Amino acid sequence: MTSPDQHKPGHRKAGRIGAVLSALALLAMLCGNHEGKVEDIWLVGLAVLLLAVVIGDAVLRRNGLRS
């Protein structure tokens, strides 16, 4: 048995691309037939959160604070 931190890390670039594509898909869902604005707030909020994580990860890796 091995612990999760001993496993080979995943593909970073694929993860970043997946997160950006997911954020774009969430923003594309704004064009719909819903009337309430609560859905829009959630969609934009989650897209911004995904993009913030990707940007934060890139900044930390550039500064050497994350391996």
Side-chain angles (χ1 to χ4, degrees):
M1 304 260 325
T2 59
S3 64
D5 60 339
Q6 293 175 333
H7 296 162
K8 182 179 176 184
H11 299 284
R12 292 181 189 138
K13 189 172 184 180
R16 288 181 184 173
I17 291 171
V20 170
L21 289 177
S22 296
L24 291 175
L26 287 171
L27 292 175
M29 290 181 199
L30 290 173
C31 301
N33 61 352
H34 53 274
E35 296 179 10
K37 295 299 177 191
V38 175
E39 297 92 349
D40 294 344
I41 294 170
W42 275 98
L43 289 171
V44 171
L46 289 174
V48 167
L49 179 68
L50 273 174
L51 293 175
V53 168
V54 170
I55 292 170
D57 181 60
V59 169
L60 287 177
R61 286 186 190 281
R62 186 179 308 129
N63 291 336
L65 299 175
R66 186 171 178 156
S67 60

